Amino acid sequence: QGDVMESGGGLVQAGGSLTLSCTAVDFDRSAMAWFRQAPGKEREGVVCKTRLETYGMVADFAKGRVGAWKDNAQKKFFLQLDNLTPNDTAIYYCAAREYSFGNCHLFSDWYYQWGQGTQVTVSS
């Protein structure tokens, strides 16, 4: 079991929604983010939240159809993405970083811990 683990994913029809969750060993001390990587493409950020959720960032392609939140009771970080299209097909990764100093970012190098990823496939 790694320090970060995703769950959820699978096959979703176009127009539907996905909800993914993530646990992290250092959940209480971490800024967290979701990234994705489609076949043949670079990993890209989707959304991030600071440790206390006082600040976040959303990628342009996800604006208006994404939600992300931390559930402190469950110690899980959730991603919801609506109005899915086949272009959303990708491996989705959760990332975490301690000592985030109230920040979060959508570039992957900033994060220390990564999950193994979970496949999301959107059928047309």
Side-chain angles (χ1 to χ4, degrees):
Q1 183 173 351
D3 290 341
V4 176
M5 290 187 65
E6 304 93 346
S7 62
L11 181 63
V12 187
Q13 286 194 333
S17 299
L18 68 83
T19 301
L20 306 177
S21 65
C22 167
T23 58
V25 169
D26 300 316
F27 176 88
D28 291 333
R29 299 187 295 274
S30 297
M32 301 191 71
W34 287 97
F35 287 77
R36 70 182 190 180
Q37 187 165 17
K41 295 187 177 181
E42 293 187 354
R43 190 172 298 189
E44 62 180 354
V46 180
V47 63
C48 70
K49 289 281 189 177
T50 55
R51 183 175 70 90
L52 298 177
E53 296 189 278
T54 53
Y55 173 75
M57 297 182 70
V58 178
D60 286 344
F61 70 81
K63 287 180 179 177
R65 63 186 186 106
V66 70
W69 65 98
K70 300 180 81 176
D71 185 318
N72 293 321
Q74 298 187 61
K75 296 190 183 300
K76 290 185 176 180
F77 181 51
F78 290 89
L79 168 71
Q80 180 174 321
L81 191 61
D82 301 323
N83 298 321
L84 296 169
T85 74
N87 289 334
D88 293 312
T89 294
I91 299 174
Y92 284 72
Y93 297 91
C94 182
R97 170 174 166 153
E98 287 186 274
Y99 309 113
S100 54
F101 306 107
N103 294 317
C104 73
H105 295 284
L106 290 182
F107 55 90
S108 58
D109 288 349
W110 192 76
Y111 292 88
Y112 298 152
Q113 298 170 311
W114 289 85
Q116 294 295 311
T118 184
Q119 176 71 47
V120 173
T121 302
V122 182
S123 63
S124 58

